[in-house]
Amino acid sequence: MEKVTIETIQNNWQTLIQNTQVNSNFEKFQAATKLPVLRVNQLDAYRLDCEIFELLRAQLIKSCSLLSPSFSERFQPELKALLRAIIFKLSLYSTNSTYGNSLQNLEYRDETFDYGSHILATSAKIPPSYSQKLLYAFATIFIPYIWERVLLYATWNNWSSRSRSRFDWRYKVWKCMRMLDNILHLANLINFIVFLFDGCYPQLIDRLIRIRLVYSKKSLSRQVNFEYMNSQLVRVGFTEFLLFIIPLLQIEKLKRIVINKIRKLWQLTIRKRINFGSSYLNTQEIDDNLKLSEIGCTICSIKPINTPVISNCSHFFCYYCLQVAITRDNGETPCPKCANAIKLFRRVSKFDF
């Protein structure tokens, strides 16, 4: 009886120790997951960093293009790497936060540190270590520079159009580069899907080197002005709609329809004036206008004629069409209808009908 009691006590003690370890591990996991940082803040910070870099890059390339037209194209990877290095030194390396993160009240902290309790996990902020910052610079500055330089060199030397034989190493390198690019895009997609679930590490490099975005000030409320965002969305949406709908439209057909509508409205207006007896047009002038509206330009065939003139061969033209033709042919041009030489022309009058 005494032996059974001792075994029971030992079993209960081991069970208690195991439950304590499980609860401790669960508390650590809960502490790591109970640090809420809005996903929209992290994504906005990343977009702000991209916009700031693009603005500075455009100004830098525009300034360097004054030195030589081809300077910015030849040394574009070097200029972008230099700009990234300057931004990294002034932001993340010095302040543990990028410019976009600072605008969103965010900063990086070292997630390799064991924060322990829930209170410590939400309050303590251990900045990224020196090695983590160097790895971040290596992944965001050096690797993109090497990639862009090799890609630019391969494009200039037409590696993609080389013979696809197994002995051509340049085509093999180009194919491997494309495969690596696809793998990187797939990894970024998987990381983004995981980020939508757990709310941590919006970028793949953050997850690899274990640095996480947390709030730098807890009491600071998030104030966002959506006026610019809404106007930008409207402009982008309207531009995309035009880019989609314009190729589907037949411009020439629409132009002919509009011209025919204008011509019919013009003739209808003149007929109404005839029917109601306008006080400022007599019948002869109306008849002349009707005849003129039914006559098209001999060159462009537009009805009614814009600024009508009559040539010495008694054909009607637009003033600009005939003047351009005569100027082009050095003062004398053949008539498209009768082939007679046109040297003189004058404004149309009522005696020409």
Side-chain angles (χ1 to χ4, degrees), residues 286-297:
I286 293 173
D287 291 338
D288 295 344
N289 289 331
L290 275 173
K291 293 177 181 178
L292 186 60
S293 64
E294 296 174 355
I295 298 173
C297 174

PDB file of all heavy atoms in Angstrom, residues 286-297:
ATOM      1  N   ILE A 286     -30.708  82.127 -97.493  1.00  0.00           N
ATOM      2  CA  ILE A 286     -30.963  80.799 -96.936  1.00  0.00           C
ATOM      3  C   ILE A 286     -30.745  79.729 -97.993  1.00  0.00           C
ATOM      4  O   ILE A 286     -30.157  78.680 -97.739  1.00  0.00           O
ATOM      5  CB  ILE A 286     -32.396  80.733 -96.362  1.00  0.00           C
ATOM      6  CG1 ILE A 286     -32.508  81.662 -95.146  1.00  0.00           C
ATOM      7  CG2 ILE A 286     -32.771  79.312 -95.988  1.00  0.00           C
ATOM      8  CD1 ILE A 286     -33.897  81.807 -94.615  1.00  0.00           C
ATOM      9  N   ASP A 287     -31.216  79.991 -99.203  1.00  0.00           N
ATOM     10  CA  ASP A 287     -30.990  79.035-100.286  1.00  0.00           C
ATOM     11  C   ASP A 287     -29.503  78.859-100.559  1.00  0.00           C
ATOM     12  O   ASP A 287     -29.024  77.748-100.791  1.00  0.00           O
ATOM     13  CB  ASP A 287     -31.699  79.507-101.557  1.00  0.00           C
ATOM     14  CG  ASP A 287     -33.224  79.432-101.406  1.00  0.00           C
ATOM     15  OD1 ASP A 287     -33.674  78.651-100.530  1.00  0.00           O
ATOM     16  OD2 ASP A 287     -33.933  80.150-102.130  1.00  0.00           O
ATOM     17  N   ASP A 288     -28.783  79.984-100.505  1.00  0.00           N
ATOM     18  CA  ASP A 288     -27.339  79.889-100.724  1.00  0.00           C
ATOM     19  C   ASP A 288     -26.662  79.066 -99.635  1.00  0.00           C
ATOM     20  O   ASP A 288     -25.781  78.247 -99.908  1.00  0.00           O
ATOM     21  CB  ASP A 288     -26.722  81.300-100.764  1.00  0.00           C
ATOM     22  CG  ASP A 288     -27.240  82.105-101.964  1.00  0.00           C
ATOM     23  OD1 ASP A 288     -27.801  81.473-102.888  1.00  0.00           O
ATOM     24  OD2 ASP A 288     -27.090  83.340-101.944  1.00  0.00           O
ATOM     25  N   ASN A 289     -27.087  79.248 -98.382  1.00  0.00           N
ATOM     26  CA  ASN A 289     -26.516  78.481 -97.286  1.00  0.00           C
ATOM     27  C   ASN A 289     -26.850  76.991 -97.395  1.00  0.00           C
ATOM     28  O   ASN A 289     -26.032  76.128 -97.080  1.00  0.00           O
ATOM     29  CB  ASN A 289     -27.008  79.014 -95.944  1.00  0.00           C
ATOM     30  CG  ASN A 289     -26.396  80.365 -95.606  1.00  0.00           C
ATOM     31  OD1 ASN A 289     -25.283  80.651 -96.042  1.00  0.00           O
ATOM     32  ND2 ASN A 289     -27.125  81.179 -94.871  1.00  0.00           N
ATOM     33  N   LEU A 290     -28.087  76.702 -97.842  1.00  0.00           N
ATOM     34  CA  LEU A 290     -28.460  75.318 -98.039  1.00  0.00           C
ATOM     35  C   LEU A 290     -27.594  74.647 -99.108  1.00  0.00           C
ATOM     36  O   LEU A 290     -27.131  73.530 -98.956  1.00  0.00           O
ATOM     37  CB  LEU A 290     -29.930  75.208 -98.419  1.00  0.00           C
ATOM     38  CG  LEU A 290     -30.929  75.190 -97.254  1.00  0.00           C
ATOM     39  CD1 LEU A 290     -32.353  75.258 -97.782  1.00  0.00           C
ATOM     40  CD2 LEU A 290     -30.732  73.953 -96.420  1.00  0.00           C
ATOM     41  N   LYS A 291     -27.398  75.356-100.203  1.00  0.00           N
ATOM     42  CA  LYS A 291     -26.567  74.798-101.260  1.00  0.00           C
ATOM     43  C   LYS A 291     -25.122  74.612-100.778  1.00  0.00           C
ATOM     44  O   LYS A 291     -24.481  73.606-101.057  1.00  0.00           O
ATOM     45  CB  LYS A 291     -26.596  75.718-102.486  1.00  0.00           C
ATOM     46  CG  LYS A 291     -27.958  75.777-103.169  1.00  0.00           C
ATOM     47  CD  LYS A 291     -27.934  76.752-104.335  1.00  0.00           C
ATOM     48  CE  LYS A 291     -29.312  76.833-105.002  1.00  0.00           C
ATOM     49  NZ  LYS A 291     -29.318  77.821-106.113  1.00  0.00           N
ATOM     50  N   LEU A 292     -24.626  75.611-100.053  1.00  0.00           N
ATOM     51  CA  LEU A 292     -23.247  75.530 -99.576  1.00  0.00           C
ATOM     52  C   LEU A 292     -23.070  74.415 -98.556  1.00  0.00           C
ATOM     53  O   LEU A 292     -22.018  73.774 -98.493  1.00  0.00           O
ATOM     54  CB  LEU A 292     -22.838  76.877 -98.979  1.00  0.00           C
ATOM     55  CG  LEU A 292     -21.373  77.021 -98.567  1.00  0.00           C
ATOM     56  CD1 LEU A 292     -20.466  76.819 -99.764  1.00  0.00           C
ATOM     57  CD2 LEU A 292     -21.129  78.375 -97.926  1.00  0.00           C
ATOM     58  N   SER A 293     -24.107  74.146 -97.716  1.00  0.00           N
ATOM     59  CA  SER A 293     -24.008  73.088 -96.719  1.00  0.00           C
ATOM     60  C   SER A 293     -23.999  71.703 -97.344  1.00  0.00           C
ATOM     61  O   SER A 293     -23.542  70.740 -96.742  1.00  0.00           O
ATOM     62  CB  SER A 293     -25.171  73.198 -95.726  1.00  0.00           C
ATOM     63  OG  SER A 293     -26.404  72.980 -96.390  1.00  0.00           O
ATOM     64  N   GLU A 294     -24.542  71.602 -98.593  1.00  0.00           N
ATOM     65  CA  GLU A 294     -24.570  70.309 -99.266  1.00  0.00           C
ATOM     66  C   GLU A 294     -23.327  70.067-100.113  1.00  0.00           C
ATOM     67  O   GLU A 294     -23.168  68.984-100.664  1.00  0.00           O
ATOM     68  CB  GLU A 294     -25.820  70.222-100.137  1.00  0.00           C
ATOM     69  CG  GLU A 294     -27.118  70.258 -99.334  1.00  0.00           C
ATOM     70  CD  GLU A 294     -28.336  70.323-100.232  1.00  0.00           C
ATOM     71  OE1 GLU A 294     -28.143  70.428-101.466  1.00  0.00           O
ATOM     72  OE2 GLU A 294     -29.461  70.265 -99.708  1.00  0.00           O
ATOM     73  N   ILE A 295     -22.487  71.079-100.246  1.00  0.00           N
ATOM     74  CA  ILE A 295     -21.266  70.948-101.049  1.00  0.00           C
ATOM     75  C   ILE A 295     -20.102  70.688-100.114  1.00  0.00           C
ATOM     76  O   ILE A 295     -19.939  71.375 -99.103  1.00  0.00           O
ATOM     77  CB  ILE A 295     -21.010  72.222-101.882  1.00  0.00           C
ATOM     78  CG1 ILE A 295     -22.170  72.455-102.858  1.00  0.00           C
ATOM     79  CG2 ILE A 295     -19.695  72.110-102.650  1.00  0.00           C
ATOM     80  CD1 ILE A 295     -22.088  73.755-103.597  1.00  0.00           C
ATOM     81  N   GLY A 296     -19.292  69.695-100.452  1.00  0.00           N
ATOM     82  CA  GLY A 296     -18.129  69.380 -99.647  1.00  0.00           C
ATOM     83  C   GLY A 296     -16.858  69.941-100.253  1.00  0.00           C
ATOM     84  O   GLY A 296     -16.800  70.294-101.443  1.00  0.00           O
ATOM     85  N   CYS A 297     -15.836  70.018 -99.414  1.00  0.00           N
ATOM     86  CA  CYS A 297     -14.529  70.481 -99.883  1.00  0.00           C
ATOM     87  C   CYS A 297     -13.966  69.461-100.876  1.00  0.00           C
ATOM     88  O   CYS A 297     -14.065  68.247-100.676  1.00  0.00           O
ATOM     89  CB  CYS A 297     -13.583  70.672 -98.696  1.00  0.00           C
ATOM     90  SG  CYS A 297     -11.894  71.084 -99.165  1.00  0.00           S
TER      91      CYS A 297
END
